[in-house]
Amino acid sequence: MTSTDITRAINDLLFTPGLDLTEAIDRHFTPDYRQRTNGVWSDRASFTQHMTRLRSLIRSGHIEVHDELRDGTRYSDRHTVTLVHEDGHTSRTEVYLFAQLAADGRFRRVEETTLLVTGHADDGNLGLVK
């Protein structure tokens, strides 16, 4: 299996509406996946719920990776995600991400900090991963 990265994961999760969400999550995240976003831990079930909600709130978007490093099972990046919401407004969030990959190349753990660059104050509560 090819090791995943944030671009492929976000594109499958949010910007490929025809792809089943369960299939997208299975493709990029291990069954024991957990993450911490801005200090708050969540498990795969709550991540799945959050992705379901995000898919209902956004119309389109894209990801731009500014820096990306990989060393064995360690992965990190700095990226910006631009979202066009169903009501037409746009938000941009900058993300600093550190991750552990499983032997099969999927994300096992992600720890990230996010910064809302543009958008409504409530957009900061959306977070791409939560």
Side-chain angles (χ1 to χ4, degrees):
M1 172 182 263
T2 301
S3 189
T4 195
D5 60 39
I6 198 62
T7 300
R8 287 195 293 264
I10 295 298
N11 282 335
D12 283 355
L13 290 170
L14 297 177
F15 307 137
T16 309
L19 179 61
D20 177 72
L21 181 58
T22 300
E23 182 181 341
I25 290 172
D26 286 344
R27 185 180 292 174
H28 300 284
F29 302 90
T30 61
D32 62 342
Y33 175 71
R34 45 187 298 241
Q35 75 175 47
R36 183 172 67 173
T37 302
N38 297 331
V40 178
W41 282 102
S42 61
D43 60 12
R44 184 172 155 143
S46 58
F47 174 75
T48 300
Q49 289 175 328
H50 187 62
M51 287 300 110
T52 300
R53 180 171 175 259
L54 274 180
R55 277 188 167 196
S56 75
L57 296 174
I58 63 168
R59 183 183 308 161
S60 63
H62 66 275
I63 180 171
E64 179 183 359
V65 175
H66 309 291
D67 300 293
E68 185 175 45
L69 301 167
R70 186 183 305 266
D71 181 19
T73 60
R74 295 183 300 172
Y75 174 90
S76 66
D77 76 44
R78 181 177 64 91
H79 65 272
T80 301
V81 178
T82 302
L83 300 176
V84 178
H85 299 253
E86 284 296 336
D87 67 5
H89 84 276
T90 300
S91 65
R92 291 181 64 233
T93 303
E94 187 172 356
V95 180
Y96 296 81
L97 179 147
F98 295 88
Q100 176 189 18
L101 299 169
D104 67 4
R106 294 183 293 169
F107 289 116
R108 170 168 281 141
R109 186 186 78 240
V110 166
E111 297 186 48
E112 66 180 7
T113 299
T114 65
L115 172 66
L116 182 63
V117 178
T118 59
H120 299 156
D122 288 343
D123 294 338
N125 296 327
L126 290 179
L128 278 186
V129 283
K130 207 171 212 178

